[in-house]
Amino acid sequence: MIIIGERINGTRGNIKEAIEKKNKEFIKKEIKKQIECGAHYIDLNAGIGKGKEREKEDIKWLIECLYEVGEIPVCIDSSDPDVIEFGLSFIKTSDKMINSINGESKKIERLLPIIKKYPESKIICLTMDEKGIPSDYKKRLQIAEKLIEILNGIGVKNENIFVDPLVEPISVNYENGIIFLKVLKEIKKLNIKTTCGLSNISFGLPNRKIINKYFLSFCIYEGLDSVIVDPTISDIREAICISEMLTGKDEFCMNYIKNVRNRNF
Ligand code: THG
């Protein structure tokens, strides 16, 4: 399971404050913690609601903070292609993720030339378009198929395409969990990788951590390849390790035993 650490996100109160106050030490500590807990990529989202120019400046600053910790792979997270393009120019490692493209024609037009410049980059594809997130799983699948075809067309290999079927709160529609899992299952049949932001599933409900944990285990059963989560949460590490073991991804239970020995959860 590829773990993308989600903690550096401007929508979180303390991160927004650290970005505003340019508190490097706080950001660096947040990055270090996630790496120590097993993150393979660090998601960087500099959006604090103060416009494009501010977001560009702040993403550059976040990348600077990250490189003071080490040459860690970045998952650059913005809904604005200009921010993605600007941020990418400061990333040193060839291993990186672009989060994200989606089925909107305007976005595709703007992002394709950028993606062409980084052909080795991993690309997260959201299954939504100008009409929003379809509630019909077949429509989400169609958007994914269209994006895969376009990306393949400019030379992006399947192994670098990560489709995100989009987790929506179960409190909003009781079928949101099953819709996600259906899209996930269909994408896996296409020999394409998958990812998601997990915690949305429990939005608006009590005991969120336990809900997230159960949902993650279903996702792993369906073959989820990567997840955007807070790896400093012990329940998350436990859910990943045990679900992988129970679904045939841990030969001789070696990884589980190692994790128990290291008191990893
Ligand atoms: N898919 C993709 N990218 C994504 C998402 C996704 N990026 C953003 C988001 N969703 C995933 N990242 C986060 C980061 C932080 C939090 C949730 C998701 C978070 N949320 C708390 C909450 O929901 O209550 C608290 C926020 C706060 O502290 O104010 O921390 O789905 N491709």
Side-chain angles (χ1 to χ4, degrees):
M1 171 68 60
I2 298 171
I3 299 170
I4 306 168
E6 73 178 10
R7 291 175 67 92
I8 312 294
N9 192 308
T11 58
R12 299 182 66 221
N14 51 4
I15 297 293
K16 181 169 189 271
E17 195 183 320
I19 291 174
E20 280 170 340
K21 294 187 175 155
K22 293 281 184 283
N23 185 348
K24 256 193 179 172
E25 289 315 309
F26 183 83
I27 298 289
K28 283 164 69 177
K29 221 190 277 171
E30 287 284 307
I31 292 168
K32 266 186 211 148
K33 263 198 285 191
Q34 296 185 86
I35 295 294
E36 280 162 14
C37 289
H40 302 102
Y41 292 81
I42 297 292
D43 190 272
L44 297 179
N45 185 318
I48 54 170
K50 290 191 173 169
K52 182 203 293 288
E53 289 314 311
R54 183 65 202 264
E55 191 180 340
K56 281 164 80 175
E57 185 189 307
D58 290 336
I59 196 82
K60 179 178 181 227
W61 180 76
L62 287 177
I63 295 167
E64 279 167 22
C65 293
L66 177 119
Y67 286 135
E68 287 187 19
V69 178
E71 287 217 352
I72 299 154
V74 172
C75 175
I76 187 159
D77 186 352
S78 177
S79 54
D80 188 332
D82 292 343
V83 175
I84 290 182
E85 180 176 40
F86 186 70
L88 281 169
S89 71
F90 301 100
I91 294 178
K92 301 179 191 173
T93 58
S94 64
D95 189 10
K96 53 183 161 288
M97 284 184 155
I98 295 176
N99 188 10
S100 57
I101 190 169
N102 65 41
E104 288 174 63
S105 317
K106 267 193 180 165
K107 198 151 261 185
I108 295 172
E109 248 171 63
R110 179 73 184 88
L111 277 169
L112 279 192
I114 300 170
I115 292 169
K116 273 190 194 167
K117 282 201 262 176
Y118 304 94
E120 76 296 351
S121 174
K122 296 179 167 63
I123 317 290
I124 298 179
C125 302
L126 308 185
T127 55
M128 60 182 285
D129 59 16
E130 32 275 287
K131 289 187 209 140
I133 306 173
S135 48
D136 176 0
Y137 87 94
K138 284 188 182 141
K139 285 193 183 138
R140 290 196 206 186
L141 201 57
Q142 280 168 6
I143 296 171
E145 284 170 340
K146 172 177 127 178
L147 284 166
I148 293 162
E149 196 182 316
I150 291 172
L151 289 171
N152 284 161
I154 61 163
V156 180
K157 296 189 190 114
N158 280 2
E159 65 195 52
N160 288 330
I161 299 175
F162 285 72
V163 170
D164 181 344
L166 292 170
V167 175
E168 293 181 286
I170 199 80
S171 58
V172 171
N173 173 354
Y174 74 104
E175 290 184 312
N176 275 341
I178 204 71
I179 294 170
F180 176 93
L181 292 167
K182 265 189 177 170
V183 183
L184 181 56
K185 188 176 189 157
E186 295 302 316
I187 298 293
K188 290 312 297 170
K189 289 184 192 163
L190 302 175
N191 184 34
I192 292 286
K193 293 192 174 161
T194 49
T195 192
C196 73
L198 184 76
S199 63
N200 248 356
I201 194 69
S202 59
F203 191 78
L205 291 174
N207 297 340
R208 293 187 63 183
K209 276 185 193 171
I210 304 176
I211 301 173
N212 295 347
K213 194 165 145 172
Y214 273 86
F215 191 58
L216 183 52
S217 88
F218 285 126
C219 294
I220 289 173
Y221 174 72
E222 290 296 358
L224 187 73
D225 301 275
S226 154
V227 65
I228 307 168
V229 283
D230 181 351
T232 68
I233 298 172
S234 165
D235 294 69
I236 291 291
R237 298 193 302 273
E238 180 195 279
I240 292 172
C241 180
I242 295 179
S243 306
E244 288 191 328
M245 175 176 73
L246 295 175
T247 57
K249 291 168 196 106
D250 185 7
E251 219 179 341
F252 307 118
C253 312
M254 291 297 277
N255 189 50
Y256 173 73
I257 292 164
K258 191 178 92 190
N259 273 276
V260 171
R261 235 182 242 144
N262 295 343
R263 298 176 202 277
N264 195 19
F265 43 73

